[in-house]
Amino acid sequence: DSGVTQTPKHLITATGQRVTLRCSPRSGDLSVYWYQQSLDQGLQFLIQYYNGEERAKGNILERFSAQQFPDLHSELNLSSLELGDSALYFCASSVDAGISSYNEQFFGPGTRLTVL
Amino acid sequence: AQSVTQLGSHVSVSEGALVLLRCNYSSSVPPYLFWYVQYPNQGLQLLLKYTSAATLVKGINGFEAEFKKSETSFHLTKPSAHMSDAAEYFCAVSEPNDYKLSFGAGTTVTVRA
């Protein structure tokens, strides 16, 4: 158990809908990362938040957005869903000791999204 | 920008045989390198990491990896495979001052009795 929790575990929805995925980082971790794992794209970094602020952005679609709340939990919002958005979405957290230091990322169990 | 290439999407080994998973990286600066394991229907678990200390890195479950700068490689080995090693393995790279992990495509390991 990494200490990172994600809800829900599974989500089935229809095209065009909007969903919210939730992540609670390990106690004391300030950074949250979101990754997407799909059959065709593999594991891709989407976005990182640090202490409530967006810090880095990867291959995240404009239909997707995220935020980190004062209690440090994070939500990933996916809208206008398409079949190709079906994937496993992982959240990871790290303590973030500072720039140029190594920050191990601990991964949650993931949310499996199926778009029908 | 950094990237990772894992050679071989599937590896099949006999129980007790050597496990060798290959990973080559591309990075403009000295990287941090990682191996993660993913068991079916589970998240990613860190096996081991290289962060510019010793080039031979020992991890959990008897795995180790060697960082070879001249070959830009970070191959993962385990001397004797166990049935419980059946899983998918991902090599990943990150760069200092960059926060994201860039993953390889993954290698699925099956272990034959």
Side-chain angles (χ1 to χ4, degrees):
Chain A
D1 184 352
S2 67
V4 179
T5 59
Q6 290 186 247
T7 57
K9 199 166 185 174
H10 300 278
L11 200 48
I12 300 174
T13 188
T15 54
Q17 295 299 304
R18 173 189 169 94
V19 297
T20 297
L21 313 183
R22 181 189 170 103
C23 168
S24 293
R26 294 186 322 152
S27 176
D29 284 359
L30 298 178
S31 269
V32 169
Y33 307 76
W34 286 96
Y35 292 85
Q36 180 195 57
Q37 185 179 30
S38 63
L39 284 175
D40 52 347
Q41 301 281 352
L43 261 166
Q44 287 196 102
F45 167 73
L46 295 178
I47 196 163
Q48 181 210 2
Y49 274 80
Y50 172 78
N51 205 20
E53 301 282 330
E54 181 184 306
R55 180 176 258 185
K57 217 166 185 175
N59 299 322
I60 187 166
L61 300 171
E62 283 195 15
R63 299 183 285 109
F64 296 1
S65 65
Q67 54 184 327
Q68 187 179 27
F69 295 86
D71 67 352
L72 301 177
H73 91 272
S74 177
E75 293 181 356
L76 180 67
N77 300 296
L78 315 177
S79 61
S80 302
L81 285 167
E82 302 175 359
L83 295 177
D85 297 327
S86 296
L88 195 49
Y89 291 84
F90 286 111
C91 167
S93 73
S94 68
V95 65
D96 253 9
I99 293 175
S100 295
S101 65
Y102 162 65
N103 299 297
E104 179 172 343
Q105 293 183 29
F106 295 85
F107 282 77
T111 293
R112 184 168 294 282
L113 174 66
T114 302
V115 182
L116 302 175
Chain B
Q2 67 266 34
S3 67
V4 173
T5 302
Q6 289 184 241
L7 299 174
S9 58
H10 289 88
V11 168
S12 179
V13 297
S14 298
E15 195 172 19
L18 171 73
V19 179
L20 170 60
L21 305 183
R22 298 178 189 275
C23 171
N24 288 90
Y25 70 90
S26 168
S27 175
S28 55
V29 298
Y32 297 145
L33 293 160
F34 310 84
W35 277 99
Y36 282 86
V37 61
Q38 184 179 27
Y39 298 102
N41 300 314
Q42 292 188 29
L44 295 163
Q45 181 183 7
L46 183 67
L47 273 179
L48 48 79
K49 57 185 182 285
Y50 167 77
T51 57
S52 73
T55 56
L56 182 61
V57 180
K58 292 189 185 298
I60 61 171
N61 301 339
F63 284 94
E64 63 180 40
E66 186 172 8
F67 171 67
K68 290 188 176 180
K69 184 179 177 181
S70 60
E71 298 177 10
T72 61
S73 69
F74 190 58
H75 301 332
L76 181 72
T77 59
K78 181 174 180 177
S80 177
H82 191 270
M83 298 299 286
S84 61
D85 294 326
E88 189 160 20
Y89 293 79
F90 293 92
C91 183
V93 62
S94 73
E95 295 179 350
N97 300 328
D98 191 353
Y99 303 96
K100 67 179 184 292
L101 289 169
S102 296
F103 287 90
T107 299
T108 299
V109 172
T110 57
V111 182
R112 305 185 304 271

